[in-house]
């Protein structure tokens, strides 16, 4: 429950900040594309987080194998959409230093995904292997 509240607070703070500062941005096609990418990505991240439900944890745990919704096609949609959100924000702010953060974040997320896959494989066996075969990252 605490993680849910923190996630919600961060999203609400980001939306409020954006709403208060939108008029200060000189909108170009790149910034508009970045805003679209960021908006869609944050919405999909929220959907993925809600679909994960009680199975969400900071450390890899095997509570339940979620295979529906976004998880029917993508094993780690929170990672994917979080990274795409960061790309979109970098485009809007024209702050390419954020892409350096992404360069560090991607290998960390890949390592976390591998650890989670190992935990899920140990807990769910062949069911996880079949699920993994039909999904991306």
């Amino acid at each position: 429950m605490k993680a849910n509240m923190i996630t919600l607070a961060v999203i609400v703070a980001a939306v409020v900040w954006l709403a208060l500062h939108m008029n200060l941005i000189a909108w170009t096609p790149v910034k508009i594309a970045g805003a679209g990418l960021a908006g869609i990505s944050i919405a999909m991240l929220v959907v993925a987080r809600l679909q994960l439900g009680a199975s969400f944890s900071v450390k890899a745990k095997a509570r339940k194998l979620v295979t529906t919704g976004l998880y029917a096609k993508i094993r780690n949609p929170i990672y994917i959409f979080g990274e795409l959100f960061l790309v979109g924000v970098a485009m809007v702010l024209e702050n390419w230093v954020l892409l350096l953060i992404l360069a560090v974040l991607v290998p960390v997320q890949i390592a976390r995904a591998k650890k989670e896959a190992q935990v899920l494989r140990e807990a769910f066996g062949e069911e996880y292997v079949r699920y993994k075969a039909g999904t991306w990252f």
Side-chain angles (χ1 to χ4, degrees), residues 76-133:
N76 299 286
I78 291 174
Y79 296 162
I80 298 295
F81 293 117
E83 292 161 3
L84 289 173
F85 173 75
L86 189 57
V87 170
V89 169
M91 291 169 68
V92 170
L93 299 178
E94 292 181 335
N95 184 343
W96 308 115
V97 173
L98 291 174
L99 297 180
L100 294 176
I101 294 170
L102 193 63
V104 172
L105 186 62
V106 168
V108 169
Q109 299 295 46
I110 290 170
R112 289 186 72 194
K114 286 181 181 180
K115 176 64 176 167
E116 290 170 2
Q118 177 185 351
V119 169
L120 292 170
R121 170 72 168 93
E122 290 170 3
F124 300 107
E126 285 302 312
E127 181 183 4
Y128 179 73
V129 171
R130 283 190 305 275
Y131 166 70
K132 187 176 177 184

